[in-house]
Amino acid sequence: MSTRLSPLAGQPARKSELIDVDKLVAAYFSERPDPGVPAQRVAFGTSGHRGSALDVSFNEWHVLAITQAICDHRKGQGISGPLFMGIDTHALSAPACATALEVLAANGVDVVLASGSPFTPTPAISHALVKHNRSGTGTVADGIVVTPSHNPPRDGGFKYNPPHGGPAGQAVADAIQAAANSFLEAGLQGVRRMPHAQALKAATTHHHDFMGNYVEDLDHVIDMDAIRAAQVRIGVDPLGGAGVHYWGAIAERWKIDLTVVSVEVDPRFAFMPLDWDGQIRMDPSSPFAMQRLIAIKDHFDIALACDTDHDRHGIVTPSAGLLPPNHFLAVAIDYLFGHRPQWPASAAIGKTVVSTQVIDRVAARLGRKCFEVPVGFKWFSPGLLDSSLGFAGEESAGAAFLRRDGTAWTTDKDGLIAGLLAAEITARCGRDPGALYLELADGMGRPVADRIEAAANVTQKKRLAALSPSAITASELAGEKITSVLNHATGNGAPISGIKVVAKSGWYAARPSGTEDIYKIYAESFQGPDHLQRILTEAQATVDAALNQPPNQASP
């Protein structure tokens, strides 16, 4: 990212920058949100509701309201099977899980919690969901994951996964959000709840070995024999996240050379270097957050990390260091579609509107359809479930792919299998993914990419989200004719909440932020850094002009 880089980026966190866990948890229980304040209402983003108890945007009332809304949704949809619930290692996750259990038990929902380790990665929940619903037991399961993903330690998050196993789609998320806010407005009237001790002992509360089942099943999605036979030396940094105990279990079960460089769990995440903006953020695609693993990259043939709920991956190679997510996605796609002969011949490649065009070029060479969707993994879940997508990936380091037999593995992002795939690629190809990307890019073009941010007020953000292609009056982009201007994704026709402008050698996409008064411009060029800067400069000028038009002149 090229904007607002903090001088503290990459440095150890000072004591003053660490959260006070007791204060944070106390605020979770003591504060009451005002539904008349927009920032204190329930707001489902691309994957659930997130916020902080310190800002009165994520606390006990939010979780009570959302959970009751989910219970009512289940009843309305006839979902009577178990609800699998997992949590990550953020400080607010355990209290939020306890709150949710009180509501679920009071509503008679069969809840399945992890046995053994209390932490459960997002992919382990999705894996269990998909497996249960495919088993034909007659009951349909869904799930909740209590996580704000890679967000800072002060944050909490709560996401619902319907029976397809991935993040809730827009219609379901909107309905749960509206119902939850109605409960907040009514002072929680209508929310059913029982004491936590009673909920733990309820006949509807069950336990399941998520870790054991996930680990045991891995050879159905990854060639674990190849990794073991090649004696690939793997280093893993769980970044103090929910998969902290999974990696050791994987090494033991599959007898692979895997070293977990740290098993430390600290809700303050004091061990994390500061990210680009001076905040602690467990982002495995950030070169600042990943400094600990980058420093020891030469000790391993491949090194891996995941974010706090382990749905995102970071791949560190001896040849190239930390791989940009787009680089690994391109390599993974090229490899998988050449090494999974049982996959359906019609299986397509899923990508988001802001992912690299190298993927499009790889897809064309493979003779596979490219299915481009708006930002958000929820758009991929149905396609992964029915195997119409073989692989789906986001530029923000999230991906999932089919089992080796061509059936669904998870329908949510899975950072563990992405990392293990990097090890399989290294084992089978004799070179790490960093070296393979350079070979791939030699034939496909070596793009450069960047993302910038610019200020935008609420009105401007709404205008950008609804911008029409006709509002972009430029005919050229960085000296090339504009070939398309899009406000809907080409794969599924869904609105991208912004605009994408494409020319022969580059493109940009502009989207409003869901949480800050800014908009983001993503850009890519196949002509080098100078061309990329021209794209970014022209993009910002074009978008600013469109946003600053008088309301009666701006296209709806």
Side-chain angles (χ1 to χ4, degrees):
M1 183 175 299
S2 62
T3 54
R4 302 192 299 170
L5 184 65
S6 168
L8 301 176
Q11 296 185 18
R14 297 168 296 195
K15 188 174 181 180
S16 61
E17 290 156 342
L18 302 178
I19 60 166
D20 183 328
V21 174
D22 292 339
K23 180 180 177 180
L24 180 66
V25 174
Y28 171 84
F29 289 107
S30 65
E31 298 297 321
R32 297 291 179 265
D34 180 354
V37 177
Q40 296 182 22
R41 292 172 66 83
V42 172
F44 272 61
T46 55
S47 189
H49 174 74
R50 298 179 188 176
S52 178
L54 300 175
D55 302 327
V56 202
S57 55
F58 184 92
N59 60 28
E60 186 179 40
W61 273 45
H62 293 104
V63 175
L64 289 168
I66 296 170
T67 309
Q68 185 62 55
I70 289 172
C71 291
D72 294 345
H73 169 79
R74 298 180 97 244
K75 185 175 181 180
Q77 296 295 312
I79 301 171
S80 58
L83 183 144
F84 298 107
M85 186 156 64
I87 68 169
D88 74 2
T89 55
H90 275 81
L92 292 178
S93 294
C97 181
T99 301
L101 181 62
E102 295 169 8
V103 176
L104 294 164
N107 281 270
V109 175
D110 281 294
V111 180
V112 182
L113 303 171
S115 55
S117 171
F119 310 121
T120 312
T122 288
I125 294 295
S126 182
H127 172 265
L129 263 176
V130 169
K131 198 169 183 179
H132 173 90
N133 290 341
R134 189 170 46 209
S135 67
T137 61
T139 61
V140 176
D142 54 0
I144 289 172
V145 188
V146 187
T147 174
S149 188
H150 61 293
N151 278 28
R154 72 196 305 270
D155 285 0
F158 201 87
K159 109 179 148 167
Y160 175 63
N161 285 33
H164 64 50
Q170 201 63 50
V172 172
D174 287 349
I176 292 172
Q177 174 182 300
N181 283 319
S182 293
F183 285 124
L184 292 182
E185 291 162 0
L188 298 183
Q189 185 175 353
V191 174
R192 292 184 285 279
R193 183 183 190 184
M194 69 169 59
H196 186 243
Q198 186 180 342
L200 284 172
K201 296 177 181 178
T204 52
T205 299
H206 315 277
H207 291 83
H208 174 70
D209 184 7
F210 288 107
M211 183 169 72
N213 279 272
Y214 180 94
V215 171
E216 185 64 32
D217 217 15
L218 275 171
D219 65 332
H220 288 103
V221 69
I222 297 292
D223 190 344
M224 302 301 292
D225 291 340
I227 296 172
R228 180 173 57 254
Q231 299 180 337
V232 179
R233 296 170 301 149
I234 307 167
V236 177
D237 189 345
L239 301 183
V244 62
H245 302 306
Y246 277 58
W247 293 105
I250 290 169
E252 181 178 355
R253 167 61 184 87
W254 296 106
K255 303 296 187 289
I256 58 177
D257 186 354
L258 187 154
T259 301
V260 183
V261 301
S262 174
V263 294
E264 183 177 3
V265 175
D266 174 7
R268 303 172 305 160
F269 294 89
F271 52 82
M272 288 293 301
L274 298 175
D275 203 5
W276 64 272
D277 57 355
Q279 291 202 60
I280 296 174
R281 188 179 289 106
M282 289 60 70
D283 181 358
S285 66
S286 166
F288 305 106
M290 287 283 282
Q291 285 199 1
R292 182 164 69 176
L293 199 56
I294 293 170
I296 57 174
K297 67 180 178 64
D298 293 331
H299 297 180
F300 306 102
D301 298 315
I302 196 80
L304 327 167
C306 291
D307 68 337
T308 323
D309 69 320
H310 270 49
D311 69 345
R312 301 187 188 212
H313 59 269
I315 310 298
V316 179
T317 69
S319 66
L322 177 64
L323 289 187
N326 276 322
H327 292 195
F328 181 66
L329 295 182
V331 171
I333 291 165
D334 189 57
Y335 172 84
L336 282 168
F337 281 90
H339 290 79
R340 294 296 188 267
Q342 291 180 273
W343 281 13
S346 60
I349 297 164
K351 68 182 286 275
T352 59
V353 294
V354 295
S355 298
T356 178
Q357 277 195 347
V358 172
I359 293 175
D360 301 73
R361 298 182 182 193
V362 171
R365 189 180 73 176
L366 293 168
R368 297 279 179 164
K369 179 183 176 182
C370 210
F371 182 72
E372 186 168 291
V373 300
V375 172
F377 209 79
K378 61 190 176 186
W379 303 107
F380 297 130
S381 298
L384 288 166
L385 186 63
D386 67 14
S387 301
S388 60
L389 291 177
F391 179 97
E394 298 182 308
E395 59 80 35
S396 55
F401 46 92
L402 298 179
R403 291 170 178 257
R404 294 162 74 183
D405 68 0
T407 60
W409 167 257
T410 59
T411 52
D412 209 331
K413 300 187 290 284
D414 190 336
L416 290 101
I417 64 166
L420 291 170
L421 177 64
E424 178 189 329
I425 291 171
T426 302
R428 295 286 297 271
C429 299
R431 286 157 293 166
D432 67 51
L436 290 170
Y437 175 77
L438 294 179
E439 294 178 15
L440 185 66
D442 280 340
M444 300 288 170
R446 289 195 184 186
V448 287
D450 201 358
R451 191 185 92 189
I452 62 172
E453 300 171 350
N457 59 36
V458 173
T459 300
Q460 290 173 322
K461 286 168 60 179
K462 288 181 178 178
R463 189 176 294 170
L464 176 56
L467 203 61
S468 165
S470 63
I472 305 299
T473 58
S475 61
E476 292 188 348
L477 177 62
E480 293 185 327
K481 181 182 178 181
I482 291 174
T483 56
S484 62
V485 181
L486 308 169
N487 65 349
H488 287 71
T490 57
N492 61 359
I496 63 176
S497 297
I499 206 81
K500 182 173 183 178
V501 178
V502 183
K504 180 182 178 181
S505 303
W507 59 270
Y508 73 84
R511 298 178 61 252
S513 169
T515 56
E516 298 177 87
D517 286 335
I518 59 174
Y519 70 81
K520 302 175 184 179
I521 295 176
Y522 304 78
E524 182 176 55
S525 167
F526 284 83
Q527 289 190 17
D530 291 342
H531 187 247
L532 175 65
Q533 289 307 311
R534 285 186 64 187
I535 291 175
L536 287 167
T537 300
E538 292 181 20
Q540 187 161 353
T542 300
V543 173
D544 284 347
L547 293 185
N548 292 320
Q549 286 179 358
N552 62 342
Q553 294 181 24
S555 299

